[in-house]
Amino acid sequence: MTIERSEPSTTADERTMLEGWLTYHRETLASKCEGLTDEQLRTTSVEPSTLSLMGLVRHMAEVERGWFRSVMADEQADPIYFTEEDPDGDFHTTEADTWAEAHATWRAEIEAANANAARFTLDDLSVGKHRRTGEHFNLRWIYTHMIEEYARHNGHADLLRERIDGSTGD
């Protein structure tokens, strides 16, 4: 399956623009993982780092879940991959971890994120609070943060993919 990415509109209203860029960056991460085996997707960068493409996807599932479900909508959404004992568990993959599971979980979190975001305006404050700071955030801030989070990790994904099979590109 080839990942289709569309450039966000250059003339859209603010919300459409933010949603367009977030979708673009989500699909960029998916494209970096396309066509690789589970083993390749678990390949880490360089020691001592545990960063892998599968780990990035698992991490972004956690990030989507945290911001759009726990903070924005105040849903009880326990962590998927990390624990208090292993706060970086999303990045700690084993041979038992599969792309099918990680991808399905990530896509389900994106679907939940989109459904929750649709219930709010850009200026609406989150119903829940950030687990560490206790702050509320408006949806505009969350969208902007998510775009930044994906953009940063897509840079990591570029390097990981190049290490795996030499593929480069945006």
Side-chain angles (χ1 to χ4, degrees):
M1 175 176 125
T2 300
I3 304 299
E4 296 291 328
R5 289 185 313 159
S6 298
E7 290 284 330
S9 171
T10 59
T11 59
D13 62 89
E14 182 182 16
R15 184 172 188 135
T16 304
M17 181 97 45
L18 290 168
E19 290 173 349
W21 277 109
L22 182 53
T23 298
Y24 179 83
H25 281 292
R26 287 168 171 161
E27 294 312 313
T28 298
L29 181 56
S31 72
K32 293 298 173 181
C33 298
E34 188 173 39
L36 297 176
T37 66
D38 285 359
E39 181 180 359
Q40 289 172 312
L41 289 162
R42 289 189 298 265
T43 300
T44 58
S45 57
V46 293
E47 291 185 7
S49 175
T50 59
L51 191 64
S52 69
L53 287 169
M54 189 180 297
L56 283 174
V57 168
R58 288 165 40 124
H59 174 67
M60 292 313 299
E62 294 280 18
V63 173
E64 296 272 1
R65 186 178 186 88
W67 283 109
F68 288 104
R69 293 178 70 179
S70 296
V71 176
M72 195 69 216
D74 199 25
E75 291 180 17
Q76 178 61 41
D78 293 331
I80 306 163
Y81 301 108
F82 72 87
T83 62
E84 281 189 32
E85 298 77 33
D86 187 6
D88 292 324
D90 39 357
F91 292 113
H92 299 154
T93 61
T94 68
E95 289 192 23
D97 295 310
T98 67
W99 172 246
E101 183 281 326
H103 186 252
T105 298
W106 177 51
R107 290 297 185 181
E109 290 304 323
I110 290 170
E111 187 175 314
N114 290 341
N116 279 341
R119 298 175 20 219
F120 297 94
T121 70
L122 291 177
D123 291 322
D124 285 342
L125 286 180
S126 60
V127 180
K129 297 177 182 177
H130 190 273
R131 65 184 168 89
R132 287 191 308 263
T133 68
E135 291 178 273
H136 290 279
F137 297 83
N138 67 24
L139 181 59
R140 178 183 292 102
W141 189 96
I142 292 172
Y143 273 147
T144 304
H145 174 68
M146 291 298 295
I147 292 165
E148 175 272 331
E149 182 89 7
Y150 272 102
R152 182 166 33 94
H153 288 313
N154 283 339
H156 299 135
D158 284 339
L159 295 172
L160 285 161
R161 183 63 190 247
E162 185 174 8
R163 179 180 189 275
I164 292 166
D165 68 358
S167 293
T168 60
D170 54 329

